[in-house]
Amino acid sequence: MAIEILLITEAKSSDTKSFYNCNTVLYRCVKSAFEMQFGSFETNDEFLAFFREMNCELDYLVTAEISRTDMATRRNQRSESVDSLSERLKKHQPKYIIVIMKDIEKYVLKAIEKAKLPREALLTSVPFPAMSEKNRINCALGISEILSDFVKNQTD
């Protein structure tokens, strides 16, 4: 089945921290956005089950470990990952894409074009929920607004 909503961020946090382990800032932000639209979830497992039932998935632009200190290397890793992401997009055929990190939007757009997905598939990009409380809030609110539009479009 095609993915309804694909969230794309730059790269995994680490080997021990990940969205699906429910122990990252990104996880807490996405869960908060879903709770704004769908009410609270009693447990992390309940949220992840709901996330999957809605055919949502998280993917990464860069699937290898990324340089977090050398920006030139980091930009190269992003650029070199476009083809790989494009292949995954062809496989997933997402209806909606949410880019979580404004700095990677141009790379994701290139991957969308290479995958020959409709450009409308990209709903928006939101800030990555790090570095400031403002980014966290704007990320959660942005995702929440997209979810609201998604639900409206499902019922129309």
Side-chain angles (χ1 to χ4, degrees), residues 114-125:
K114 284 184 173 233
K116 296 184 176 16
L117 296 180
R119 201 171 168 112
E120 314 78 76
L122 175 66
L123 288 182
T124 194
S125 62

Side-chain angles (χ1 to χ4, degrees), residues 5-137:
I5 301 174
L6 181 64
L7 292 84
I8 300 175
T9 192
E10 183 182 37
K12 279 185 169 181
S13 295
S14 70
D15 287 338
T16 57
K17 291 189 173 222
S18 82
F19 179 87
Y20 291 105
N21 286 341
C22 311
N23 62 357
T24 63
V25 168
L26 178 62
Y27 169 81
R28 290 187 293 278
C29 182
V30 171
K31 182 181 177 197
S32 174
F34 272 73
E35 287 178 331
M36 288 179 206
Q37 287 303 313
F38 304 108
S40 65
F41 298 96
E42 295 295 317
T43 66
N44 290 331
D45 288 340
E46 181 184 358
F47 168 68
L48 287 177
F50 183 79
F51 186 79
R52 288 182 180 114
E53 284 170 20
M54 286 192 59
N55 292 318
C56 297
E57 182 107 10
L58 176 77
D59 202 348
Y60 306 98
L61 170 60
V62 180
T63 57
E65 188 173 333
I66 194 160
S67 172
R68 302 210 187 265
T69 54
D70 181 353
M71 277 311 293
T73 301
R74 193 173 186 169
R75 280 190 296 273
N76 285 340
Q77 287 177 289
R78 290 172 179 173
S79 185
E80 291 167 358
S81 297
V82 168
D83 288 341
S84 173
L85 177 59
S86 174
E87 290 303 314
R88 294 192 309 278
L89 290 173
K90 286 179 194 175
K91 178 182 159 206
H92 293 315
Q93 291 292 308
K95 292 183 181 175
Y96 301 99
I97 298 171
I98 301 171
V99 179
I100 303 176
M101 182 183 240
K102 291 186 180 272
D103 284 352
I104 67 166
E105 182 177 4
K106 68 180 181 182
Y107 302 101
V108 175
L109 283 171
K110 286 179 186 176
I112 289 170
E113 289 170 8
K114 284 184 173 233
K116 296 184 176 16
L117 296 180
R119 201 171 168 112
E120 314 78 76
L122 175 66
L123 288 182
T124 194
S125 62
V126 297
F128 190 80
M131 308 307 271
S132 73
E133 183 67 7
K134 180 180 176 184
N135 283 349
R136 189 195 64 73
I137 290 168

